Amino acid sequence: MSSLTSPQNASASQLKDPSQGFVQAAPAQQGRPSYHHGDLRQALLVAAKQLIAEAGIENLSLRRLAERAGVSRTAPYHHFSDKNDLLCAIAAEGFRRRHQMATLGFDDPAKTMLEKFEDYVLGYIQFAVDSPEEYELMFGRSIWKQQNSTRELRDVAYPCFQHQVDMVRGWQACGLIAGDNPLRTSQVIWGALHGMAKLLIDGIYTDSAQIEEMSRCAIKLFVNNSAYPIDK
Amino acid sequence: MSSLTSPQNASASQLKDPSQGFVQAAPAQQGRPSYHHGDLRQALLVAAKQLIAEAGIENLSLRRLAERAGVSRTAPYHHFSDKNDLLCAIAAEGFRRRHQMATLGFDDPAKTMLEKFEDYVLGYIQFAVDSPEEYELMFGRSIWKQQNSTRELRDVAYPCFQHQVDMVRGWQACGLIAGDNPLRTSQVIWGALHGMAKLLIDGIYTDSAQIEEMSRCAIKLFVNNSAYPIDK
DNA sequence: CAATACATCTTGACAGTGTCAAAATGGCTC
DNA sequence: GAGCCATTTTGACACTGTCAAGATGTATTG
């Protein structure tokens, strides 16, 4: 009785495209008030992303999620072995989305290497600030701690990191960025971006008005100034 | 009856010195099995740090903490308004400890500016890796999100950040580090260190064997190579 | 010393959580 | 149609943070 207030069977389809933002509205589906949901897994992922965007990861409970999806408390356990498993699946989507964004930016032949690096930095920060809750989930503690990470998550995240290394290799090859070890260098650069993103997201002595300025400062610091003098 | 297994009245004194590491054993105190604990607040902080070091922040519950301190479930609420309040207090201790470490390193007149910077980088990473759970608490989500941070925490953390800005100002003044805006530059550098620390702590495509190498790489990237050539 | 105020600690209770076990349900293949 | 099996539900358990009310000491008055 009391659960009638929540929408029933808010199923969703065609969620494969990761380039359209974090939260997507589930397309209205003409009533399927059947016992079996149809595509509960996707519906749960959609509802979870909504809830996370609304109230943060730490306020996501499986029970509220189930209620939002119009389903009983334990139904999700037939699609995700665990709460952690669910979170990993959402994070994996985030990595796919981020990976695609980064690839699109880097493969544009019209851009110079410097422009690609600038776009990479700006894009990274913007990605984090635009969907802070998703970002926090992707790089937060619970997912990566100990053996928490799912095989799927690792399989998706690794190419994402690897791509960063490859890009850095390219920037080093043309002299844009100093140093010789692309792996180490990209660990430092990723670290810087991650740290800045965290400062911005949590508002620790910073706010979103400083995004541009902080990014420019980072670019200036990392770009080899003798080879690529930056005026601005 | 069943709670007799946990030690009663494990009180602690002289915990002011923050330079002796994260977890400190509570000095044995000849039985004070009285109704009033004596210094429950300190005992709780000590026990909390133990539990966090043992099982991580996310596994710290106030009830287990109370049991460890030999006290009833709700006793902690007379010393901390909240679980969040407790966590903030522990984090504040961490910031005090870190601040003191950084100050000691920077004020040593025997060191060159380059050495100070090297020590700062190494020291930061080492601090994080040595007590990962405390580090995660200090810079983790829950503490800083929204209005979660206590006034005490902010009052302690701010000088810690400010000190980093001052150090960067010094390094820029002598030409060791490029750029002109100490605040922005220190945000980038702190970010890099934080990101590296997180990678190391969570073991994301890294492990502690690479601490030295990653730190050296960061130093090389940030130090103005034309003014301060680094051979190594 | 006695009485009272106050800080501290305890017991009881409540709503909320993740997750397991067993039963119910309904679409699928023979 | 019968039966299999994925899916969903109801019930239950241990655990969590936190509030309210009572119990117990310590300190401060008279």
Side-chain angles (χ1 to χ4, degrees), chain A residues 115-182:
Chain A
E115 284 169 342
K116 285 180 182 180
F117 183 63
E118 289 173 333
D119 286 2
Y120 168 67
V121 172
L122 269 297
Y124 188 99
I125 303 289
Q126 205 63 49
F127 174 85
V129 173
D130 280 348
S131 34
E133 299 297 341
E134 180 184 31
Y135 185 84
E136 201 66 38
L137 172 61
M138 287 168 61
F139 298 104
R141 192 82 201 292
S142 55
I143 298 295
W144 293 105
K145 184 165 188 219
Q146 292 168 346
Q147 270 85 10
N148 277 11
S149 60
T150 308
R151 161 137 227 104
E152 183 211 4
L153 175 59
R154 272 176 278 133
D155 286 350
V156 170
Y158 181 72
C160 200
F161 281 101
Q162 193 55 47
H163 184 242
Q164 294 188 64
V165 181
D166 292 338
M167 289 190 295
V168 167
R169 196 191 316 277
W171 290 321
Q172 286 184 320
C174 71
L176 183 76
I177 290 180
D180 45 5
N181 190 328

